[in-house]
């Protein structure tokens, strides 16, 4: 797990053991709001899974008490919609998988620390096969931030 300093950020690796790629930068996701799903000691929610959220997942999360749909201007959070990228909490993604609503995972932007909870075969089965866009400029699968605990 990384420390909370920017100096440690380059040490973050993805599930392939390579440097962690950004999940989304407009708006920035992750506990540090730097666009990366970093593993941080100060982040008990473990926002380490880069997912492309689906409507089904967003509704599930809302029913579980974490509304990622509603914008919150005071948090600079635009709200998410189907196709947006987001650093999800490991336990929430596992819970969604068990409920049959887990969103696809961007493996190159998912922190390797998730492997202590989710095996690589499972991640591979949920691998996102779409484009590599990490910003919100074209409306395809962009918005991300870090509200609540996802």
């Amino acid at each position: 797990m990384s420390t909370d300093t920017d100096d440690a950020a380059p040490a973050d690796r993805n599930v392939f053991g390579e440097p962690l790629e950004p999940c989304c930068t407009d708006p920035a996701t992750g506990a540090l709001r730097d666009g990366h799903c970093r593993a941080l000691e100060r982040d008990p929610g473990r926002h380490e899974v880069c997912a492309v959220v689906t409507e089904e997942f967003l509704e599930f999360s809302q029913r579980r008490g974490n509304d990622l749909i509603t914008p919150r201007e005071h948090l600079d959070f635009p709200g998410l919609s189907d196709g947006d990228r987001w650093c999800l909490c490991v336990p929430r993604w596992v819970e969604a998988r068990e409920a049959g609503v887990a969103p696809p995972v961007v493996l190159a932007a998912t922190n390797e620390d998730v492997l202590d909870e989710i095996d690589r075969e499972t991640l591979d089965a949920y691998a996102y096969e779409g484009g590599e866009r990490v910003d919100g400029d074209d409306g395809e699968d962009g918005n991300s931030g870090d509200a609540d605990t996802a």
Side-chain angles (χ1 to χ4, degrees):
M1 200 173 270
S2 297
T3 62
D4 292 350
T5 66
D6 288 333
D7 295 341
D12 280 318
R13 299 261 175 216
N14 63 30
V15 298
F16 302 120
E18 300 167 347
L20 185 66
E21 293 184 10
C23 182
C24 187
T25 59
D26 185 20
T29 189
L32 297 178
R33 300 270 185 172
D34 66 354
H36 292 82
C37 301
R38 301 196 188 280
L40 303 169
E41 289 180 25
R42 71 174 179 171
D43 179 20
R46 298 192 60 192
H47 293 83
E48 300 165 10
V49 177
C50 180
V52 180
V53 298
T54 62
E55 188 66 34
E56 191 175 37
F57 170 78
L58 291 169
E59 290 171 2
F60 169 80
S61 186
Q62 189 175 45
R63 286 190 308 271
R64 305 298 290 172
N66 187 20
D67 180 2
L68 299 172
I69 299 168
T70 304
R72 291 179 192 83
E73 290 183 26
H74 66 285
L75 296 174
D76 195 28
F77 176 67
L80 300 177
S81 43
D82 188 60
D84 290 341
R85 289 186 181 199
W86 185 257
C87 289
L88 296 179
C89 293
V90 174
R92 179 54 47 92
W93 190 89
V94 169
E95 181 183 27
R97 179 177 168 262
E98 290 168 356
V101 296
V105 176
V106 180
L107 299 177
T110 294
N111 199 291
E112 71 181 347
D113 280 17
V114 306
L115 295 170
D116 66 357
E117 297 288 327
I118 308 166
D119 64 59
R120 178 61 192 278
E121 293 77 23
T122 299
L123 289 171
D124 287 345
Y126 285 86
Y128 177 65
E129 301 296 331
E132 295 302 315
R133 198 170 73 81
V134 295
D135 61 39
D137 292 338
D138 69 11
E140 199 169 296
D141 43 43
N143 287 341
S144 286
D146 206 68
D148 295 341
T149 60

